[in-house]
Amino acid sequence: MTTRDRDYQLMMTALAEVARRRDAELSNAEEAYRTSAAQAAGELARAEGDAAAADRWAGAAAAQVLDVDREAARLWDQLRRAPGMRVRALGEVPEPAAVEALPRVALERSPGSQAMAPAPRQSARTLLARAAERIDVTVRPAERRPLPRWALPLLPLLGALVAGLTGLIAAGLVTVGSTPVPGGAVIRGLGWLAFLVAPSAGVPVGAVIAHRRLRSKLDIGGIGLTLLGGMLAATLLSVTFAASR
């Protein structure tokens, strides 16, 4: 083999090596392109999903803001019509605080946000519902339900007990006022006045108990039963006191 043939063979070998390297580089470039394209498509799809979720969240938040504003305006107008409320002093509905003035923990976290979640707090709807309940109690007091049946037999006993205590106090005042003490006539007069109110002294007590404990109202029948027990007890005490004197 001549020198020219060897040079030609070396050149062909070098050319084949360069072609193999070129093919390998092209293959790597195509693989990297496909991988990058797939990653870019995934990132784009993820970004589009996040944008759609953010749009839905923003729309829901805007609708909630409108609902809260309408409910707040309705409650404010209802509060202005409450008895004893001065409309001029109350004024118009106050404007909400600016977002820049709110602490970061007071802002709702958007979907997908990695920020630290704010501490649990009551929603605006819960606060408005509580305010509406209080305004309803002021403007339109809730109707009290009648007394339960099991409480009716206890009303004469309550009336008798309160009337008995009032009668004992009245007897003590009359007795003390009959002694030669300063202001005896006044004390004796208070005692006889207590005797007069003793039969009905159990009615306000029964009304308070029914209102606060049973969430009910003392109707005409309940008042009659309480008065019946009070009158019987007051009559018995008056007869006993008169007989002892």
Side-chain angles (χ1 to χ4, degrees):
M1 180 181 297
T2 62
T3 302
R4 186 175 180 179
D5 293 337
R6 285 197 300 273
D7 293 339
Y8 179 76
Q9 187 175 6
L10 290 175
M11 291 175 61
M12 294 299 296
T13 303
L15 182 61
E17 181 66 22
V18 170
R20 186 168 56 252
R21 290 180 180 178
R22 181 185 65 84
D23 293 339
E25 293 295 336
L26 286 176
S27 178
N28 293 335
E30 290 178 358
E31 183 66 24
Y33 174 76
R34 286 193 295 268
T35 302
S36 299
Q39 291 179 352
E43 293 294 334
L44 179 60
R46 190 178 302 108
E48 290 177 349
D50 293 341
D55 289 340
R56 290 192 297 270
W57 177 82
Q64 184 178 4
V65 168
L66 292 178
D67 292 340
V68 170
D69 288 344
R70 283 195 295 265
E71 181 65 13
R74 186 187 69 83
L75 293 178
W76 192 265
D77 183 66
Q78 186 176 357
L79 180 61
R80 295 178 65 182
R81 296 196 304 269
M85 185 64 65
R86 297 178 58 186
V87 177
R88 292 185 178 179
L90 191 60
E92 298 297 332
V93 183
E95 294 293 334
V99 176
E100 293 79 5
L102 296 176
R104 297 184 63 85
V105 295
L107 302 177
E108 294 284 351
R109 188 176 57 165
S110 61
S113 175
Q114 301 298 325
M116 182 179 298
R121 58 189 181 88
Q122 294 179 339
S123 64
R125 294 183 182 275
T126 302
L127 297 176
L128 288 176
R130 186 178 302 172
E133 182 179 356
R134 293 183 178 179
I135 294 175
D136 287 338
V137 172
T138 303
V139 179
R140 296 187 300 273
E143 292 292 334
R144 296 285 177 176
R145 59 186 179 86
L147 280 173
R149 293 183 178 273
W150 59 265
L152 296 179
L154 301 178
L155 292 177
L157 299 177
L158 176 64
L161 178 61
V162 178
L165 293 176
T166 307
L168 291 176
I169 294 174
L173 291 175
V174 172
T175 302
V176 173
S178 300
T179 59
V181 295
V186 176
I187 296 176
R188 189 168 56 253
L190 292 176
W192 291 116
L193 181 62
F195 268 124
L196 292 177
V197 301
S200 60
V203 174
V205 177
V208 171
I209 294 176
H211 177 78
R212 295 186 178 181
R213 297 294 182 181
L214 303 179
R215 303 297 180 184
S216 304
K217 63 178 180 180
L218 192 64
D219 53 9
I220 299 298
I223 294 175
L225 291 175
T226 308
L227 284 175
L228 178 61
M231 286 187 295
L232 291 176
T235 302
L236 181 60
L237 283 174
S238 298
V239 171
T240 304
F241 180 71
S244 65
R245 295 177 61 87

